[in-house]
Amino acid sequence: MKFLRLVRPLLVALLVLTSWFTLRLYSDLGESNKTKPTLTIKEGEGASVVAEQLSNIAEKNGGSISAAEIQLLAFLTGNGKKFKAGEYEISPNTSLSNIFGKLVRGEVIPTRVRIPEGVTWREIKAVLAKADLTHDAQNFDVAQAAQALNINAPSIEGMIFPDTYQYSKGEPETAVLKRAHELLLRKLNAEWEKRAPNLPYQTPYEALIMASIIEKETGTASDRAMVSAVFVNRLKIPMRLQTDPSVIYGMGENFKGNITKADLQRDTPFNTYTRDGLTPTPIATASTASINAALNPALSDVLYFVARGDGSSEFTKTLAEHNAAVQKYQLKK
């Protein structure tokens, strides 16, 4: 009997503690779900900081759990030291158990960055510089970036797929770039498998170079296959590509917005007026549509095209026809 008198209070206390534990852990944090406040955990911050924020969220949404209770529950569940840094969206009418699980799994608010089509490495760095990332790629030139990301090419130019990418705040730029490069390889290899016969490319990389030129030369999506036909036909003759975007790329920061006759005559590795064949590397990011066009040109024997001024192009087969089109759409303006 004496033993029972000693044990009974302990059993009652244990029952009360268990009831409190279950009630607090599995009840909703708050009553309202009109807003979804955010909770931020910085590197090195512990359960006390998390508990304070969750208690404030609960109070603002009709709940009544204290920071001390939340911190104790985090300790009792073994989660207190497992919370991952980042910014989280918290639904007030969610239980602490679910919230703890979210923080342990690191289900942070997804943030997005858009890498556009037809942009250079320099422009990609400018886009990434505005994102909430750890800027570990800003000092890389095209060769250094390729080496840092283990890209099997002399340059990172064109080796990043243009798309929208989710990232966690503070994530390294190189991590996003690796995902973008891996996606480029998947897209390029898939299109390579569906390529037309008798193309003047030996490798997918050469096709990607052509795709980047098509991307920069095309103002209207429906023209891509015809622009591709012009350049593919020229490579087969052979005839120089003579494409202005490649000259502009070769000029780098010296390009001030206008291309001159002297620029076309000034030799660089990317000047397709002075050099035969493709450029040494891509000159910009290329969309799937441009990659597909490079690998599936229109069945046409066109050799020339000129911009009409509305985004579309006039395609011709002979130099005489081309000169007439230039006179009609360019010189008369």
Side-chain angles (χ1 to χ4, degrees):
M1 295 294 291
K2 185 177 180 180
F3 174 77
L4 289 176
R5 285 198 301 271
L6 293 173
V7 171
R8 187 177 292 116
L10 295 176
L11 291 175
V12 171
L14 182 61
L15 180 62
V16 171
L17 180 61
T18 302
S19 299
W20 167 84
F21 178 88
T22 303
L23 179 65
R24 285 308 203 186
L25 188 63
Y26 294 101
S27 295
D28 289 350
L29 185 67
E31 299 172 1
S32 171
N33 198 34
K34 293 180 180 178
T35 62
K36 290 187 177 181
T38 59
L39 178 152
T40 301
I41 307 175
K42 298 179 181 178
E43 288 292 344
E45 289 185 338
S48 61
V49 175
V50 173
E52 195 67 42
Q53 292 184 68
L54 288 176
S55 177
N56 290 336
I57 291 172
E59 183 179 357
K60 291 177 181 178
N61 290 275
S64 60
I65 189 168
S66 69
E69 288 178 293
I70 296 172
Q71 190 170 353
L72 178 58
L73 286 166
F75 170 76
L76 292 174
T77 56
N79 291 316
K81 295 183 178 181
K82 298 179 181 177
F83 298 148
K84 293 181 173 61
E87 186 176 19
Y88 297 84
E89 187 176 71
I90 302 297
S91 296
N93 61 348
T94 302
S95 70
L96 270 177
S97 176
N98 287 334
I99 293 172
F100 285 168
K102 187 174 189 175
L103 303 184
V104 169
R105 291 189 296 271
E107 296 176 2
V108 298
I109 297 172
T111 313
R112 296 173 176 84
V113 61
R114 170 73 186 170
I115 298 177
E117 298 86 355
V119 296
T120 64
W121 170 236
R122 184 173 52 180
E123 292 169 308
I124 290 173
K125 287 196 292 184
V127 170
L128 296 179
K130 296 177 182 177
D132 196 357
L133 292 160
T134 297
H135 303 300
D136 61 342
Q138 289 296 316
N139 294 327
F140 293 155
D141 62 21
V142 291
Q144 291 167 335
Q147 185 176 19
L149 295 171
N150 294 317
I151 293 175
N152 186 26
S155 167
I156 194 175
E157 205 68 85
M159 299 300 287
I160 299 300
F161 189 73
D163 204 348
T164 299
Y165 296 91
Q166 289 189 355
Y167 67 89
S168 302
K169 288 188 176 182
E171 186 178 4
E173 289 173 328
T174 49
V176 176
L177 291 167
K178 284 178 182 177
R179 295 200 295 275
H181 173 61
E182 290 166 0
L183 180 57
L184 181 278
L185 294 181
R186 292 197 296 272
K187 297 279 188 181
L188 179 59
N189 290 332
E191 293 297 325
W192 179 259
E193 293 301 317
K194 300 181 291 184
R195 67 188 184 279
N198 304 317
L199 293 173
Y201 318 125
Q202 298 301 312
T203 64
Y205 187 65
E206 290 183 353
L208 182 63
I209 292 173
M210 177 63 81
S212 73
I213 294 172
I214 294 169
E215 190 73 53
K216 296 297 289 184
E217 279 281 19
T218 309
T220 301
S222 58
D223 282 349
R224 283 193 178 99
M226 286 294 284
V227 170
S228 178
V230 168
F231 291 136
V232 166
N233 290 339
R234 288 188 174 196
L235 287 177
K236 286 181 176 181
I237 292 178
M239 174 182 175
R240 286 178 178 169
L241 297 182
Q242 296 182 319
T243 169
D244 291 359
S246 70
V247 177
I248 292 169
Y249 180 82
M251 293 172 64
E253 295 183 8
N254 292 324
F255 178 67
K256 303 303 180 184
N258 292 304
I259 190 168
T260 66
K261 185 177 180 180
D263 294 328
L264 299 179
Q265 295 173 340
R266 189 176 297 111
D267 184 51
T268 75
F270 290 86
N271 190 335
T272 50
Y273 285 83
T274 62
R275 302 212 180 185
D276 299 335
L278 293 165
T279 53
T281 73
I283 61 172
T285 56
S287 62
T288 304
S290 289
I291 296 172
N292 180 271
L295 292 165
N296 296 276
L299 297 176
S300 173
D301 54 357
V302 290
L303 284 172
Y304 304 91
F305 65 97
V306 64
R308 294 192 180 111
D310 61 357
S312 66
S313 296
E314 180 81 6
F315 297 90
T316 50
K317 300 178 183 180
T318 68
L319 182 58
E321 291 173 339
H322 174 65
N323 289 336
V326 170
Q327 181 70 28
K328 177 179 179 181
Y329 294 108
Q330 297 290 320
L331 299 182
K332 283 191 175 180
K333 290 197 298 182

